[in-house]
Amino acid sequence: MSPLGYGLLFVAVAPLLGGLLAGVDRIVSARMQGRVGPPLLQPFYDVGKLFEKDVRQVNPVVEPLLLGHLAFMAASGALVLGGTDLIFTAFVFALAALFLVLAAGSVNSPYSFAGAERELVVLLASEPFFILMLAAVCKVTGESTFGAVLASPVLVALQLPGVLLAFLFVATIKLRKSPFDISTSHHPHQELVNGLTSDMSGRLLGYVELAHWYESALLCAFVLLFFNWSVPLGLLAFAIAYGLEILVDNSTSRAKWQLVLRSSWAVTFLFTGGNVLALFLVGR
Amino acid sequence: MSALVVFLVAFPLAVSGVLLAVTKGTLRNAIVVVACVVVAAASLVTVVAFGNGEAIFFGLPGGLTPGHAILVVEVAIAMFVVVVSLQNGRVVAPVMALAQLGIALYLDLGGHLQEPDPQRLFWFDRLTMVMVLVIGVVGPLICIHALGYMRDYQRSNPQIGGRRTSFFFLLFLFLASMFGLVVSNDLQLLLVFWEITTLCSFLLIGYTRTKETVSYAFDALNMNLLGGLGFSVAILLLAGRPDGLDLARLTAGPAAATLLPAIALLSLAGITKSAQMPFSSWLLGAMYAPSPTSALLHSSTMVKAGVFLLLRLSPAMAGSAVGTMVAFVGLLTFLFASLVAVTEQNTKKVLAYSTIGSLGLIVGCAGIGTPELVWVGVMIVIFHAVAKALLFLVVGTLENRLYTKDMENFDTLLSRMPRVSALALTGIAGMFIAPFGIVVAKWTAIRAFLEVPGFAGAAFLVIMAFGSSLTIFYWGKLLIKILSMRGIEPYERSVEDRVTRYEWFSEAALAVGVIGVAAGLGLISDHVVGPYALEAFSAAPRVFLHLDPAVVVVMLVAVLFLPALAIWTSRGSGYDLADFYTSGRTANAGHLMGAALGGTRTVTLRNYYLEGVVNGVLVFRAGTLVCGVILAATILVALAASR
Amino acid sequence: MSLFARSPWILHYDGSSCNGCDIEVLACLTPLYDVERFGVVNTGNPKHADILLVTGGVNERNVEVIATLYRQMPDPKVVVAVGACACSGGIFARAYNIAGGIDTVVPVDVYVPGCAARPESIIDGVVSGIAALEHKRRRTA
């Protein structure tokens, strides 16, 4: 299949996978809490309903910016699967997140604005890791695109164990799981109300949900980069990792943003930086 | 060709002299506008005449040599510095100026200097072409902006009174010396132009003659004179050699170990001029000068002279310990400056730190010295010059209209001043958003660092990762502030109408430039910067990293379309700007919300400045210390290696 | 069943309630009743909500708040008044500071009596609210 084909495949299929993942997330969380939980397809019902609702537009810049967020988040994944340089996609990924920040920050609500600032902190905490991770993967395999990494004989996860551990840490931040869900979360009644999404209603909230599904799919693709010798193993690893995330989410309360930033930088610097240093010193 | 180059230097010089005599405002404006058009046209003609081919060398018309003229100018400069310093009770500057003069006298009168080859006084290659375009297009735009800006600035700073003649005199003198700097091949000639730019910077920073700005001006003078002194000592070390002062021959390939101390000292000059740590504080002090100064000298042009020299030196430093250490100074400056920028509330200071950081990236690339990284460096020069000039001019306009530089006061700018917001958004996007050039440059830099071996490669990667993320943070904050909206009164809307047409023209032209160079990135790379990088390193042809042009266009359209759509729809209805959630309390569009016990409260939204996580002052001092140590070590290592 | 029936999101607001009805409302979210089985999510935000679940009566302080919350909810929306105080003011109906039930401020679609209202009644009320929501959606669609 051509690169464009893979890209379009991602755009079409990723929301389905992301939505199912979100459904599984809710059921597993409910079971952990001793409840039954919603039906598996509940996230789809939710988003569908949101698109049917009215929107209370606060200002006109929010909708175009959220469309940008959704478009670039889908594009990040499409570019990765479509064979664009991996490091460049890190920048596109950051741009997608930035659009969300701008959409939320443009509303004068204290909750929305604080959510936007906190999301910038999330970006600051996670972006160094993603750049280093993708650079490390490119360095260790000598390749620069998704397909080439998957085809490479180098066993990435075994060469980059530090990076993989750091990935688990940073993924908690990106997936908006407690204790790092500082900017917004799916659990209501937090100190920022809904944070980023406080003033988004109807289809605007639907865009954010869809973008989150694309993001989950993209993170799954990143896990596949590590387990590049076996896609089924990679998917299993992602499932296990996600299960751990749900467990951590349900067992911890929200951390302060200062702690999130410091710990994330420390983990990135020590584990990822250390692994990268080892690569360069031993290396090719 | 030589006639054109002489014109480029002599014409602004002549105009500056004329402007010194003219006091009538309308006549001055007319002369400045005409002169700017002529300078821009002359730059374009020169570039076309060069024809984007191989490098050429030439001398003055008629085969003249500068001879003792250089010495005369140096004496004049030194005397000026001594007099002005003593008038203000400063000692360090005159000592350094006299030391420099001493070296020059010793070399010239003591007969230690060889005659420069009259046909190799000037060097014009693609890098010169890029610099000429930057100086010749961005420079005049800034001067035109200054026409409108200074009129309002004088109203808020009445003490500068009739000194506006000297302001424009200095701007044109500066343009002349920058042109001279970038075309010079003879190091002595280059040094003269270098020191004139130092003087212009000094006089422009201290323009308002307040105690504070005079102090900052002398800081700048001291640091730049230190660099100039390093330059002089390098000339002293090189003077004995055949072709010693021929820059092109000096940097044709990796330098012999005996030349490394001179290279290190020339790098010192470049580092002070481009405000790298440990010499960054002078650029921060320069932010107290009027905005055209900040734009012209301290972001687009003068500091580019420093990185220009380093880019020239890159083939000579490549692969040596000196080069690697210079790269560390640059990249660590990038990291530390970006960290401090996050804690800053003063928008001009944020722009200054961003400049220092971007220049640090270029210095890092120049120090490592591969064709890819020099490509990155030149690309950043182009993109940064245009985008940062635009941003400084816009902030100047905002400062004149809103009487504030605090970014907390720039909120709801989209409602209050939509057109200026559009310009600001373009400039900010040009600094860090894909697919604008600086992102492509950073991406290429990361890929290139993957090839740098050992500890250095890993360190550079980590620095890039953290540094880039920090830039997203502080630009993101500024963007959030500008993009917010509220209901505004009719009188507020008229604030934007008082922006002068000079400001609109120059800012709009630069905004078009930002978009243009982003769209034309492929062309610029293939036809100008790529060939230059290969020529400088005598490297085999290769394809530089590039994006599919289709991807570039799509992304550019998307990134520009969405804010444009937002601004266009902001005129519509169906929006309730007061309808944001405040726990069920009502709010009005002017940021007042109902509070407990029937009162009202103002909604104040303040950015995060990472207090408690990053201490800006400490980080700056740490950076100064670390880079200072590395720089000192560089010179020592070079001396040791040359034995 | 339409999407609204499958994904009714609730905004729970306590007017002047003694918190008895509120505790019963929150009990619906616990494993014993688990209304998330029906897709019910307790959002804290009017802009995300379809159903405004109000307990307690209306007094000077919360007149504005209830009106604002209702206004900030996008259409289609329903209001469910839970408990005697929300329906009519309950035993505080004649107190000098209580204006009455929620219907003095916003149009109420479902009244759930009780003091405190039982979780089963509340769930029943929410289901009736969903039916009302459906009706409104079809009418405006």
Side-chain angles (χ1 to χ4, degrees):
Chain A
M1 205 192 302
S2 76
L4 185 63
Y6 278 115
L8 290 174
L9 186 68
F10 180 86
V11 174
V13 172
L16 300 172
L17 296 175
L20 282 174
L21 186 64
V24 168
D25 184 340
R26 283 177 73 172
I27 294 176
V28 172
S29 294
R31 297 292 160 94
M32 282 185 188
Q33 294 167 11
R35 299 184 287 116
V36 172
L40 181 64
L41 298 181
Q42 186 64 37
F44 296 104
Y45 302 146
D46 288 338
V47 171
K49 178 212 75 178
L50 285 173
F51 275 96
E52 284 197 23
K53 271 195 80 112
D54 252 7
V55 181
R56 291 198 65 81
Q57 303 266 21
V58 178
N59 73 38
V61 303
V62 174
E63 184 152 16
L65 289 172
L66 284 179
L67 283 171
H69 170 60
L70 178 59
F72 278 100
M73 197 58 90
S76 306
L79 285 174
V80 166
L81 254 68
T84 309
D85 187 287
L86 284 170
I87 297 175
F88 185 71
T89 52
F91 289 107
V92 181
F93 190 34
L95 179 61
L98 184 72
F99 270 109
L100 181 60
V101 169
L102 296 179
S106 68
V107 178
N108 293 319
S109 153
Y111 304 112
S112 193
F113 186 85
E117 290 291 319
R118 298 253 194 104
E119 183 66 14
L120 273 180
V121 171
V122 162
L123 255 186
L124 186 56
S126 57
E127 196 57 24
F129 169 76
F130 283 113
I131 294 178
L132 277 177
M133 175 191 93
L134 292 169
V137 168
C138 291
K139 173 86 176 167
V140 85
T141 57
E143 306 288 352
S144 66
T145 65
F146 185 74
V149 169
L150 288 189
S152 163
V154 176
L155 305 181
V156 177
L158 299 180
Q159 301 270 345
L160 300 178
V163 183
L164 188 55
L165 279 176
F167 183 86
L168 279 176
F169 193 89
V170 175
T172 319
I173 304 177
K174 263 301 185 185
L175 288 171
R176 309 192 195 292
K177 296 293 178 195
S178 201
F180 299 141
D181 55 345
I182 53 177
S183 62
T184 187
S185 80
H186 288 106
H187 307 299
H189 286 309
Q190 305 288 344
E191 87 283 17
L192 283 190
V193 189
N194 289 95
L196 278 177
T197 55
S198 296
D199 280 278
M200 299 177 190
S201 45
R203 62 178 182 272
L204 301 182
L205 194 57
Y207 299 148
V208 177
E209 272 307 299
L210 282 176
H212 190 67
W213 294 350
Y214 276 113
E215 197 174 10
S216 308
L218 180 59
L219 289 173
C220 181
F222 284 160
V223 172
L224 290 180
L225 283 176
F226 281 95
F227 294 93
N228 59 335
W229 65 94
S230 159
V231 171
L233 182 60
L235 292 174
L236 179 65
F238 181 70
I240 295 175
Y242 205 86
L244 285 172
E245 299 291 353
I246 299 175
L247 180 62
V248 168
D249 189 25
N250 276 303
S251 2
T252 56
S253 56
R254 190 177 282 182
K256 289 192 178 165
W257 65 262
Q258 290 94 334
L259 178 62
V260 172
L261 191 58
R262 284 209 195 101
S263 58
S264 174
W265 275 354
V267 166
T268 303
F269 186 70
L270 291 171
F271 285 75
T272 319
N275 208 154
V276 166
L277 182 61
L279 255 189
F280 271 80
L281 289 178
V282 168
R284 346 178 98 248
Chain B
M1 196 63 200
S2 62
L4 281 170
V5 157
V6 168
F7 180 79
L8 276 180
V9 176
F11 177 73
L13 201 57
V15 170
S16 67
V18 166
L19 282 175
L20 206 50
V22 171
T23 49
K24 197 154 164 4
T26 42
L27 183 58
R28 181 197 318 127
N29 291 1
I31 294 178
V32 167
V33 171
V34 169
C36 286
V37 171
V38 170
V39 166
S43 310
L44 290 168
V45 166
T46 312
V47 162
V48 167
F50 167 61
N52 194 31
E54 295 274 314
I56 51 175
F57 299 89
F58 50 91
L60 288 167
L64 294 171
T65 55
H68 292 295
I70 294 183
L71 190 62
V72 170
V73 175
E74 291 194 7
V75 170
I77 294 174
M79 288 300 112
F80 181 80
V81 170
V82 168
V83 169
V84 173
S85 308
L86 292 179
Q87 271 181 343
N88 286 279
R90 309 285 167 147
V91 168
V92 178
V95 167
M96 285 199 284
L98 287 173
Q100 230 181 296
L101 183 62
I103 294 176
L105 285 170
Y106 166 76
L107 284 175
D108 200 341
L109 301 178
H112 297 273
L113 210 53
Q114 302 163 326
E115 275 294 310
D117 181 348
Q119 292 312 311
R120 285 183 71 92
L121 275 179
F122 300 115
W123 179 14
F124 206 105
D125 68 354
R126 291 186 177 94
L127 182 61
T128 322
M129 181 174 101
V130 166
M131 293 301 295
V132 163
L133 279 174
V134 166
I135 302 165
V137 175
V138 175
L141 283 174
I142 296 174
C143 291
I144 291 179
H145 180 274
L147 287 174
Y149 176 88
M150 291 310 284
R151 195 192 63 204
D152 287 317
Y153 188 81
Q154 190 173 321
R155 241 179 255 140
S156 355
N157 295 279
Q159 75 273 22
I160 63 176
R163 267 188 279 124
R164 243 198 286 167
T165 43
S166 61
F167 188 82
F168 285 96
F169 157 71
L170 286 169
L171 286 184
F172 276 91
L173 177 62
F174 170 76
L175 283 179
S177 48
M178 274 304 291
F179 278 125
L181 204 159
V182 300
V183 299
S184 295
N185 188 31
D186 177 54
L187 279 176
Q188 265 207 310
L189 192 57
L190 214 160
L191 179 59
V192 166
F193 289 119
W194 188 274
E195 292 302 61
I196 298 178
T197 64
T198 299
L199 275 189
C200 289
S201 166
F202 163 67
L203 289 168
L204 281 168
I205 295 174
Y207 179 65
T208 55
R209 304 245 180 115
T210 63
K211 199 155 154 275
E212 201 185 32
T213 49
V214 166
S215 164
Y216 289 130
F218 273 100
D219 285 341
L221 185 63
N222 290 345
M223 289 190 186
N224 279 299
L225 279 180
L226 179 65
L229 186 58
F231 205 128
S232 294
V233 174
I235 291 181
L236 183 64
L237 291 174
L238 292 168
R241 300 168 192 282
D243 287 337
L245 297 184
D246 184 316
L247 184 61
R249 294 220 168 100
L250 185 64
T251 59
T258 46
L259 293 176
L260 282 180
I263 304 276
L265 285 167
L266 287 173
S267 305
L268 173 69
I271 284 172
T272 54
K273 183 69 74 177
S274 55
Q276 298 301 289
M277 291 186 175
F279 303 112
S280 299
S281 55
W282 75 258
L283 192 64
L284 277 318
M287 291 302 113
Y288 292 93
S291 277
T293 314
S294 312
L296 186 61
L297 265 56
H298 307 125
S299 64
S300 320
T301 2
M302 189 183 92
V303 291
K304 295 287 190 298
V307 293
F308 166 77
L309 182 62
L310 285 163
L311 283 169
R312 282 279 189 232
L313 290 171
S314 184
M317 289 197 286
S320 69
V322 170
T324 309
M325 292 168 94
V326 166
F328 265 104
V329 169
L331 286 167
L332 284 171
T333 301
F334 170 56
L335 182 63
F336 283 109
S338 304
L339 266 174
V340 182
V342 162
T343 64
E344 265 298 332
Q345 217 169 313
N346 178 329
T347 315
K348 267 178 100 170
K349 287 249 177 94
V350 171
L351 294 180
Y353 283 114
S354 164
T355 301
I356 296 172
S358 304
L359 293 172
L361 265 182
I362 305 176
V363 171
C365 294
I368 302 170
T370 67
E372 280 78 19
L373 286 171
V374 165
W375 182 95
V376 170
V378 179
M379 282 300 199
I380 297 181
V381 166
I382 299 173
F383 293 113
H384 181 263
V386 186
K388 199 45 82 58
L390 172 61
L391 281 173
F392 268 111
L393 294 186
V394 167
V395 170
T397 299
L398 286 174
E399 197 187 347
N400 262 353
R401 296 271 69 80
L402 302 176
Y403 305 105
T404 179
K405 283 181 285 209
D406 186 343
M407 72 164 81
E408 295 303 318
N409 293 329
F410 287 161
D411 65 327
T412 67
L413 208 60
L414 190 57
S415 297
R416 292 188 283 161
M417 301 176 79
R419 286 169 285 170
V420 175
S421 298
L423 293 168
L425 292 173
T426 312
I428 297 176
M431 283 303 302
F432 83 112
I433 286 185
F436 288 91
I438 296 198
V439 171
V440 177
K442 284 189 186 153
W443 165 40
T444 312
I446 293 177
R447 288 223 68 100
F449 290 152
L450 287 176
E451 307 303 324
V452 175
F455 172 75
F460 294 153
L461 269 181
V462 171
I463 290 174
M464 274 305 286
F466 280 94
S468 307
S469 315
L470 287 163
T471 65
I472 299 177
F473 192 85
Y474 61 75
W475 289 126
K477 276 192 297 183
L478 207 51
L479 280 177
I480 292 180
K481 281 291 178 181
I482 294 175
L483 274 173
S484 56
M485 298 179 73
R486 64 172 168 83
I488 55 171
E489 305 294 321
Y491 76 84
E492 291 182 278
R493 214 182 286 275
S494 70
V495 169
E496 198 177 38
D497 296 333
R498 287 205 290 275
V499 176
T500 66
R501 62 180 182 279
Y502 298 114
E503 289 170 277
W504 283 128
F505 172 72
S506 48
E507 288 167 25
L510 283 169
V512 169
V514 168
I515 299 172
V517 294
L521 195 153
L523 285 173
I524 298 175
S525 166
D526 292 339
H527 296 286
V528 179
V529 184
Y532 168 71
L534 294 175
E535 190 189 338
F537 288 87
S538 311
R542 66 189 74 180
V543 175
F544 287 96
L545 217 53
H546 65 285
L547 285 172
D548 194 338
V551 173
V552 173
V553 170
V554 167
M555 289 193 71
L556 208 53
V557 167
V559 167
L560 292 172
F561 171 71
L562 295 164
L565 177 67
I567 294 170
W568 181 68
T569 54
S570 70
R571 308 213 202 132
S573 57
Y575 305 102
D576 186 349
L577 293 170
D579 195 26
F580 47 89
Y581 180 66
T582 43
S583 308
R585 294 280 168 203
T586 49
N588 69 18
H591 281 198
L592 281 178
M593 63 176 269
L597 300 180
T600 55
R601 193 170 290 183
T602 322
V603 176
T604 35
L605 305 169
R606 193 170 176 273
N607 277 320
Y608 281 18
Y609 293 98
L610 297 191
E611 296 111 348
V613 180
V614 176
N615 181 329
V617 172
L618 277 182
V619 168
F620 191 83
R621 283 198 198 138
T624 307
L625 184 64
V626 168
C627 291
V629 166
I630 297 179
L631 197 54
T634 313
I635 297 178
L636 291 173
V637 162
L639 282 171
S642 71
R643 298 244 164 278
Chain C
M1 275 174 94
S2 81
L3 289 171
F4 278 98
R6 289 182 195 272
S7 166
W9 286 4
I10 288 182
L11 172 65
H12 166 218
Y13 179 70
D14 174 348
S16 69
S17 169
C18 67
N19 297 330
C21 293
D22 304 297
I23 294 175
E24 301 303 319
V25 168
L26 292 176
C28 297
L29 299 172
T30 61
L32 197 58
Y33 296 97
D34 191 18
V35 287
E36 204 192 354
R37 288 177 290 158
F38 310 124
V40 170
V41 169
N42 184 10
T43 76
N45 190 342
K47 302 204 177 185
H48 297 180
D50 309 301
I51 301 177
L52 179 61
L53 209 66
V54 194
T55 61
V58 172
N59 59 32
E60 265 324 291
R61 291 273 156 258
N62 63 33
V63 160
E64 178 204 335
V65 175
I66 296 174
T68 305
L69 288 177
Y70 182 73
R71 193 194 74 223
Q72 288 192 332
M73 285 170 68
D75 287 317
K77 55 195 173 186
V78 296
V79 178
V80 177
V82 173
C85 296
C87 294
S88 62
I91 62 169
F92 304 108
R94 302 223 181 244
Y96 63 90
N97 60 328
I98 295 289
I102 302 303
D103 50 16
T104 53
V105 185
V106 294
V108 174
D109 299 280
V110 181
Y111 295 87
V112 179
C115 179
R118 297 169 62 90
E120 293 92 338
S121 309
I122 297 173
I123 296 175
D124 207 14
V126 170
V127 169
S128 308
I130 293 172
L133 200 60
E134 279 292 293
H135 180 69
K136 288 191 183 178
R137 185 187 65 90
R138 260 182 266 121
R139 214 173 26 151
T140 55

